[in-house]
Amino acid sequence: MCSIIGYYGDGSAAPILVRGLKRMEYRGYDSVGVATKDQQEILVKKGVGKVSDVNNMLHLDTLPGHIGIGHTRWATHGNVTDVNAHPHPSSSGKIAIVHNGIIENYSELKADLEKRGYQFKSQTDSEVIANLLQFNFDELLDIKKSMIKTTSQLKGHYAFVAMFESGTLAAAKYHEPLIIGIGKNGYFLSSDVLGFIEKTDDVIYLDNGEFVILDRLGLQIFNFDGNPVKHQVTKVSKEFADVYKGDYAHFTLKEISEQPDTIVRAGESSRDAVSNATEFIRHARNIYITGSGTSYNAALVAKYLWQKYAKIKTEPIISSELFFSPDAIEPNSILIAISQSGESADVLEAVNIAKKSNAKILSIVNILTSSLAQESALVMGMNCGPEIGVAATKSFTAQLSIIYKITEKLCDGCIKLDERKISDAVSRILADHTKIKEIAKELREIKDIYILGRAVHYPIASESALKLKELTYIHAEGIPGGELKHGPLALMDSSVYVIIINPNDHTYSDTLTSAREIKARGAKIIGISDKPSDVYDFWIEIPAIDDAFYPLIEIIPIQLLAYYCAVEKNTDPDYPRNLAKSVTVK
Ligand code: G6P
C-alpha cells in the first residue's frame, strides 16, 4: 500500500528518489522518508506529511550519496508518526529497509529478535525485516545467503529494498510490485515505473519469489532458492511519461477532462479482446464479475446491461466478500475481474479463490503489466493512460466503454456504441464548468447528500456517492429510486441535498415522482438530465443521446461537482485523506 524505491548509480541519489516518490505518492501518502549511503554510514531522514511538505521541512533531497532508498507510507501497522515512517534502520544502523506489504509473522520474529538483543523503535511490521536481515547477515556474512535465509523466514506479501552499509542494495518481491529500471547511469528498483520513467523506459518485471542484488558487479537476479534467473529487458509504453498535470490544477481535473479521448481509446483498442471475451461469456455456465470500489460499480453496470440487452445473467461479487463465501463460484464458470491498477489485493484474492474452482479469469485492467493481467486467461486493456488521482474517474468510463463493447457483441449489435458520439457529448458537458462550480459552493457546508437513480442509473448513483465521499468527505449515499419510501424518505428535510440522475429514458417519470416526494419534505434537488423540470432547484444539463448510453455521460458532471466541492472545501482532490489509489493489502 506504500511505494518503495531504490537507486544505485552515478547520479545524486536523494533528488532522484524524491522525484520518484512524488510521482508514486498516489500509492500512499501519510509519511515519507529517504536513506542514502554516505562515505561511511547510512543517513536517514523521514517525517509525517506529503512528499513536498516533508521535503520542504527536512530537505530529504539534500542527503549526500549515489545510492539510496525511499518510501511513501500508507499506515497499516502502527500510527502515522515520524518513527513509523520508513526507511527503518536495523538496530545497529548497518542496514536500512523500505517495505510495501504486510509481514504476517512479524510478532513472532520480533519477539525472537528482541530476545537476541535487537531493538525495535517503531510499531510497524516492516522494521522486523531490517533486524532479521541484519541478524542473518551477521551470522552468514554474505548478502546473497542472508537474503535467501530472510525470505525463507518471512510470511506474508511483500516487496522490500534493503541498503547495506557497504552500499549494496538488495530487494525481494513476493506478491507486491517491484520493477527494475535500467538507466544509462544507474539502476532503479521501484513499486511502479512512474518512480523512474523520467530516467529510463528499459525495465525488468520480476516474478514473485525473486530477489535482486545491486553492487559493483552490477545487477544480479535470483530466485528465493538462490538460483540465478534471467529476464528480458522490456520497454514500457512512453505514454507513462505523461504524468504531469500540465496546465491543470490537479491530476483529478486533468483526468476528468481526458475522458472524451479515453472513452474512445478504451472502446476502440479493446475490440479484439472483447470479441474473444464474448465467446468465453457465451459458453460459460456461470458468469461472475468482481471488483472493488469504483470497479465494482462498473461491474454493477455490466450486470444490468447484459441482462437487459443480451439476456445474459451475471453475478456481481464485491471482491473482498468472496473470501467469506468461496463456494459461490460454481465449476465451469468465468470470473471477470475489473481493476484499474490490477494490484488491488482484494481483487487478486478473489481471482485466487475463483481459480481454485477452476474458473477462467478474464480481466478489464488498465495496467497491462499488473499482477491481475498476469493471472488472467484474457485481458481487456482499458488503455486510458496513467490515472494518478486517487478517486477513479477516467478509468471508470473506460471500464464502461469496454462493458458496452461486450454488450454490443453479446446482443449481436442490438445497441451500438458510437464512441465518437459519446465523446462529443462528454466534451459538451466539459465545455463549461460555471454552473457546477456554483453548485459546489452551495455544498461547501453540508453534511449529507443523497443520489437517486433507477435501473442502470443506480450503479451510477453509487459511483457518484463514492466520488463525493472520497473527494469532499461529505456523507453521501446512492439510493435506488424506488427504495426512497422504504426508509431514506425519513432523512429528508431542508438541510439535505439530493442529486437526481434523471435522463429522459424509461426511468424518467418514476424518478421525477421521487424527486417531488423529496422536494415536498424541503430538501433541495439537483437534477442531472437532458430535460428541464420545475422540481429541480439546480439543473445540470446533459446532452440527449441514445438511451442505452446515458451512464457513460451522466457520471461526468458528478465527477466535476465532487472535484470542485473538494476545491471549495480546501481538501486535496488528488490525495484524499486516509485513502490510497491501489490498496495492495487486505
Ligand atoms: C481503492 C481506490 C478506489 C478504487 C479501488 C479499486 O480503494 O481508492 O478509488 O476504486 O481501490 O481500485 P482498482 O485499481 O482495483 O480499480
Side-chain angles (χ1 to χ4, degrees):
M1 209 41 242
C2 312
S3 60
I4 60 175
I5 187 163
Y7 174 73
Y8 187 104
D10 299 339
S12 183
I16 293 174
L17 296 170
V18 171
R19 275 186 78 83
L21 289 172
K22 269 182 140 176
R23 289 182 162 212
M24 292 196 291
E25 211 169 17
Y26 72 90
R27 297 177 57 84
Y29 41 84
D30 57 41
S31 35
V32 55
V34 167
T36 56
K37 155 81 176 55
D38 194 17
Q39 303 293 332
Q40 301 299 332
E41 50 176 354
I42 291 175
L43 306 171
V44 182
K45 282 188 179 182
K46 55 186 183 173
V48 169
K50 293 184 62 185
V51 177
S52 23
D53 297 339
V54 177
N55 193 39
N56 285 342
M57 240 160 31
L58 302 179
H59 309 292
L60 307 172
D61 57 1
T62 60
L63 279 170
H66 302 283
I67 301 163
I69 57 178
H71 188 269
T72 62
R73 178 167 189 247
W74 184 79
T76 55
H77 289 63
N79 300 340
V80 180
T81 60
D82 291 350
V83 176
N84 286 339
H86 300 219
H88 291 290
S90 61
S91 40
S92 64
K94 292 182 176 178
I95 295 176
I97 65 98
V98 286
H99 163 231
N100 172 35
I102 288 185
I103 305 301
E104 283 162 9
N105 59 339
Y106 85 99
S107 19
E108 297 94 289
L109 292 169
K110 184 173 173 178
D112 186 52
L113 287 159
E114 274 174 335
K115 270 192 226 136
R116 296 172 191 272
Y118 287 80
Q119 286 147 22
F120 287 79
K121 295 196 187 77
S122 77
Q123 303 160 308
T124 65
D125 54 334
S126 309
E127 194 180 3
V128 83
I129 303 174
N131 276 332
L132 183 64
L133 195 56
Q134 182 75 64
F135 169 68
N136 289 328
F137 182 70
D138 291 345
E139 291 250 297
L140 301 163
L141 300 172
D142 179 276
I143 290 179
K144 181 180 166 191
K145 286 183 186 153
S146 57
M147 284 295 283
I148 297 170
K149 184 86 189 287
T150 301
T151 51
S152 75
Q153 291 168 302
L154 294 174
K155 292 208 170 77
H157 288 189
Y158 55 83
F160 70 83
V161 186
M163 182 166 61
F164 288 74
E165 195 188 34
S166 59
T168 298
L169 291 187
K173 170 178 160 61
Y174 193 66
H175 295 288
E176 292 291 351
L178 186 65
I179 301 163
I180 305 172
I182 302 168
K184 275 205 190 89
N185 304 313
Y187 293 98
F188 302 84
L189 299 159
S190 177
S191 301
D192 190 319
V193 290
L194 294 180
F196 54 76
I197 191 69
E198 272 176 320
K199 301 282 178 191
T200 180
D201 56 356
D202 285 330
V203 301
I204 290 176
Y205 293 100
L206 291 176
D207 289 329
N208 291 321
E210 293 181 349
F211 72 88
V212 172
I213 294 181
L214 273 171
D215 59 15
R216 276 187 216 96
L217 298 175
L219 171 73
Q220 301 168 78
I221 307 174
F222 305 97
N223 63 22
F224 281 1
D225 295 327
N227 300 316
V229 177
K230 277 211 161 36
H231 273 287
Q232 294 280 0
V233 177
T234 51
K235 287 242 178 247
V236 285
S237 154
K238 271 287 182 200
E239 78 170 2
F240 275 89
D242 177 29
V243 286
Y244 294 103
K245 281 185 281 198
D247 292 337
Y248 292 95
H250 295 99
F251 283 113
T252 306
L253 182 59
K254 174 175 180 264
E255 288 155 10
I256 292 172
S257 309
E258 284 169 357
Q259 291 175 104
D261 284 336
T262 50
I263 287 173
V264 175
R265 285 207 325 244
E268 287 182 350
S269 65
S270 61
R271 206 154 270 157
D272 293 345
V274 161
S275 295
N276 294 335
T278 315
E279 286 310 302
F280 277 115
I281 293 172
R282 283 206 173 109
H283 295 107
R285 220 166 106 202
N286 303 286
I287 304 153
Y288 306 97
I289 182 159
T290 196
S292 302
T294 292
S295 299
Y296 177 70
N297 289 330
L300 292 176
V301 174
K303 172 194 160 82
Y304 185 88
L305 294 177
W306 297 349
Q307 164 69 47
K308 176 167 170 138
Y309 296 106
K311 310 285 173 262
I312 288 181
K313 287 209 185 315
T314 318
E315 191 180 332
I317 305 176
I318 295 173
S319 297
S320 57
E321 286 291 310
L322 193 57
F323 180 73
F324 301 100
S325 44
D327 298 339
I329 307 286
E330 300 205 10
N332 303 325
S333 305
I334 60 169
L335 177 80
I336 304 175
I338 309 182
S339 174
Q340 185 283 131
S341 60
E343 297 295 349
S344 293
D346 289 332
V347 179
L348 295 175
E349 175 146 49
V351 162
N352 233 336
I353 292 167
K355 277 192 165 175
K356 284 188 187 135
S357 299
N358 288 325
K360 266 227 155 58
I361 310 298
L362 275 59
S363 58
I364 299 178
V365 65
N366 195 27
I367 309 296
L368 296 178
T369 50
S370 62
S371 310
L372 176 59
Q374 283 161 29
E375 294 288 328
S376 307
L378 185 83
V379 179
M380 288 163 277
M382 287 153 53
N383 195 21
C384 65
E387 189 178 63
I388 306 296
V390 166
T393 53
K394 63 174 176 175
S395 65
F396 180 64
T397 48
Q399 289 164 355
L400 294 193
S401 205
I402 293 172
I403 287 165
Y404 273 105
K405 280 282 166 204
I406 298 175
T407 317
E408 187 182 317
K409 277 253 159 210
L410 285 176
C411 76
D412 297 320
C414 77
I415 59 164
K416 200 156 174 22
L417 175 69
D418 183 337
E419 294 97 332
R420 303 280 157 183
K421 264 198 191 151
I422 302 296
S423 170
D424 284 351
V426 172
S427 298
R428 279 161 64 191
I429 296 170
L430 291 170
D432 185 0
H433 299 186
T434 325
K435 196 159 193 183
I436 292 176
K437 280 185 181 167
E438 277 163 22
I439 303 172
K441 281 202 177 82
E442 284 273 325
L443 303 186
R444 191 169 38 198
E445 305 294 342
I446 65 164
K447 297 261 176 303
D448 307 288
I449 190 161
Y450 301 93
I451 305 96
L452 218 82
R454 286 174 188 261
V456 73
H457 311 298
Y458 168 58
I460 301 299
S462 295
E463 173 58 12
S464 305
L466 186 57
K467 284 307 87 121
L468 285 155
K469 277 178 222 169
E470 288 174 314
L471 294 182
T472 71
Y473 315 155
I474 295 170
H475 162 245
E477 221 179 297
I479 302 172
E483 285 300 285
L484 185 69
K485 53 189 178 298
H486 299 299
L489 204 52
L491 301 167
M492 300 302 153
D493 62 27
S494 56
S495 67
V496 168
Y497 281 73
V498 182
I499 299 176
I500 304 283
I501 303 184
N502 201 20
N504 190 14
D505 66 4
H506 67 296
T507 65
Y508 180 79
S509 59
D510 284 332
T511 303
L512 206 61
T513 304
S514 306
R516 291 199 192 283
E517 286 166 8
I518 294 166
K519 181 126 176 171
R521 273 76 186 180
K524 300 229 173 27
I525 308 284
I526 302 167
I528 312 260
S529 184
D530 39 344
K531 213 172 156 187
S533 162
D534 60 349
V535 76
Y536 304 143
D537 295 283
F538 305 93
W539 175 41
I540 301 179
E541 186 178 1
I542 53 170
I545 54 168
D546 286 352
D547 285 9
F549 302 104
Y550 278 118
L552 263 170
I553 69 165
E554 64 202 15
I555 187 62
I556 311 285
I558 303 173
Q559 294 172 344
L560 277 178
L561 185 63
Y563 167 76
Y564 281 115
C565 196
V567 172
E568 277 298 324
K569 295 185 75 171
N570 238 332
T571 62
D572 186 337
D574 286 344
Y575 303 110
R577 68 183 179 202
N578 306 339
L579 301 180
K581 179 108 190 115
S582 54
V583 184
T584 60
V585 290
K586 264 187 75 181

